[in-house]
Amino acid sequence: MREFTEQLRRLVERSGLSVGAVADRTGYSKTSWERYLGGRLLPPLGAAEALAEATGTDVVHLSTMWELAERAWSRSELRHDSTVESARIARARAALGEFGPPQGAPQAASQAARAGGQPGAVISEPLCHEAARRAAAAEESPAAGPAGTAGPVGPAVAPEPSGQAPRPPVPGSPQPPDYRANAIPADGPAPRRRAALFVTGVVGALLVVAAAVLLLGVGDGTGGDSGSVQPLASPSAVLPAGVKCTGAECSGKDPEAMGCGGGRATTAGSATVGTSYVEVRYSQVCGAAWARITQAAPGDAVRIDAAADGAAPARTESGRVVRDADGYTPMVAVSGPGKAKACATLTSGSKGCTVARAPSAPAG
C-alpha cells in the first residue's frame, strides 16, 4: 500500500498538476484525491486508471500495482477481523471463568488422578451404564405399549430386585423430566388442532400456486403461447460492479458513493461562470445526472434542473462549495443527457447556466 501510494504521489508531482486539477481531469473530487494520496483510503481501480491517462502513464502497469495494493489491503482487513475475534473470545472466556469450575469437578479430578490420568474412562463409564440401565427399563416398562403405538411416555425407572424397597433419589442429582403432561393422546390431536393444520395446508398450497403463476406468467391474451417462460429482470445482474443504483433509485444520492462518477460519467453540458467552470455530468449506466463546479470559492452554489419527462415531474437538486474549490450536487434521474442543465450562483454575484452539447468520452 505504501509503495502504491508513493507511486501515485510521484505521478502527480511529475505531471505538475495540483490536486484540484487532478480531480477536474479524473472526475473524482479533490477530497477523495487527498485521501488517496495520503494513504488513508485505497482508490478504486477507475480512479487509478483515470490518473494514468491524465498523466500519460502506462495504464497496465498502474493497474497491476493497484491489484497488489488491493490484495494487501484485503489481507490487512482480514488480520484486523481476526484480532477483533480473538479479543472477543478472550473476553467471553474471562467472563465464563468468573462462575468458577462446574459442580463436582474436584471429585472428577480426584477420580481421574486415581485412574492413572485417564479421566475419560472414569467419567464416561458410569454414564454409559446409566444409559444402558434406562434403555432396558424403558423396554421392559408396560407403559411403553406395543411396538408402533404412541402411548404416554414416562420417566424410565430401573426395576429394583424383589423384596427391596426403591432407592430414594440422591439429593442434588438431576431427575428425568416428566413428559406425560405434553404427551399426545392415543386418539390423535384434538379436532381444533386438526382444523388448524388443514387450514395451514390449504394456505400453503395457494401460496405455491400463486408463486408458480407469477414466475411462469399467464400469457398476453393475443393467441401466443401462454406457457412460455419470461425471464425476470434483476437489476443487480445488469449493473456493473460497484454501481449501486439506476434510474429513480439514484435521485437524491451521492454520485461517487453510488459508483456513477469517474469513468462512468460524461460531460453533457458546460459553461464558464466568472472564473468557475460548471458542468452537467451524466451517467448512462445509472440513468442520472448531476451538476459539478470547479475552480470555485467557498459559498458558491450550484444547482441541477431536470426537465419534466413523460409522467415524471421536473426535479431539482442543489449543492454548495464548503471548503474545497469544487463541489457537486446529488443526482436526479433523467432519460438522456439533454434532459438536465446546471446553473451556478457565485458569491461574487455572477450567475450562469450550462449549454447542452454532445456527450463527451468518459472522463479519464
Side-chain angles (χ1 to χ4, degrees):
M1 274 297 301
R2 187 181 301 109
E3 181 181 357
F4 179 68
T5 303
E6 292 175 355
Q7 180 70 16
L8 294 180
R9 291 198 196 113
R10 284 195 294 268
L11 291 178
V12 174
E13 292 174 359
R14 284 202 300 264
S15 65
L17 299 174
S18 64
V19 179
V22 170
D24 184 38
R25 294 193 179 187
T26 60
Y28 291 82
S29 68
K30 180 180 177 181
T31 304
S32 299
W33 274 113
E34 289 176 349
R35 295 174 181 172
Y36 301 156
L37 298 176
R40 298 190 300 272
L41 186 66
L42 177 68
L45 180 59
E49 293 176 348
L51 179 64
E53 294 180 2
T55 56
T57 308
D58 185 4
V59 176
V60 176
H61 170 69
L62 197 60
S63 299
T64 302
M65 292 195 64
W66 180 88
E67 293 178 358
L68 298 176
E70 195 274 336
R71 294 176 188 174
W73 186 282
S74 300
R75 287 195 298 268
S76 175
E77 290 183 345
L78 289 176
R79 285 195 297 269
H80 173 73
D81 294 343
S82 177
T83 302
V84 172
E85 187 69 18
S86 300
R88 292 177 58 190
I89 294 175
R91 288 196 298 268
R93 288 177 175 172
L96 292 175
E98 296 177 359
F99 296 99
Q103 186 177 4
Q107 298 179 359
S110 61
Q111 294 178 2
R114 289 195 299 270
Q118 298 180 357
V122 177
I123 297 174
S124 61
E125 183 176 357
L127 295 179
C128 294
H129 289 173
E130 177 67 16
R133 184 174 65 84
R134 290 188 178 185
E139 293 178 357
E140 296 176 1
S141 175
T149 304
V153 181
V157 180
E160 301 293 338
S162 59
Q164 297 184 7
R167 291 195 300 269
V170 179
S173 61
Q175 300 299 321
D178 189 359
Y179 299 101
R180 286 174 293 182
N182 298 328
I184 300 177
D187 57 351
R192 182 178 300 178
R193 183 175 300 178
R194 286 198 298 268
L197 293 176
F198 174 76
V199 172
T200 303
V202 172
V203 172
L206 292 177
L207 290 176
V208 171
V209 173
V213 171
L214 291 177
L215 290 176
L216 300 180
V218 295
D220 55 4
T222 58
D225 185 6
S226 60
S228 60
V229 178
Q230 300 295 332
L232 298 178
S234 175
S236 60
V238 298
L239 293 179
V243 178
K244 303 177 183 178
C245 69
T246 180
E249 300 173 353
C250 297
S251 294
K253 297 182 180 178
D254 189 294
E256 287 195 12
M258 294 294 105
C260 300
R264 298 188 177 96
T266 59
T267 298
S270 61
T272 300
V273 181
T275 59
S276 301
Y277 184 65
V278 185
E279 301 172 84
V280 173
R281 300 289 291 171
Y282 170 71
S283 175
Q284 182 176 4
V285 67
C286 293
W290 62 96
R292 182 175 71 179
I293 184 171
T294 55
Q295 303 174 9
D300 291 348
V302 63
R303 185 182 75 251
I304 183 75
D305 296 327
D309 188 6
R315 298 166 302 282
T316 299
E317 293 288 347
S318 301
R320 186 176 297 274
V321 179
V322 181
R323 293 185 303 271
D324 302 326
D326 59 350
Y328 56 90
T329 68
M331 294 184 287
V332 293
V334 293
S335 59
K339 299 293 184 178
K341 70 174 181 178
C343 297
T345 302
L346 308 184
T347 55
S348 61
S350 300
K351 298 181 181 180
C353 297
T354 60
V355 177
R357 67 179 184 181
S360 60

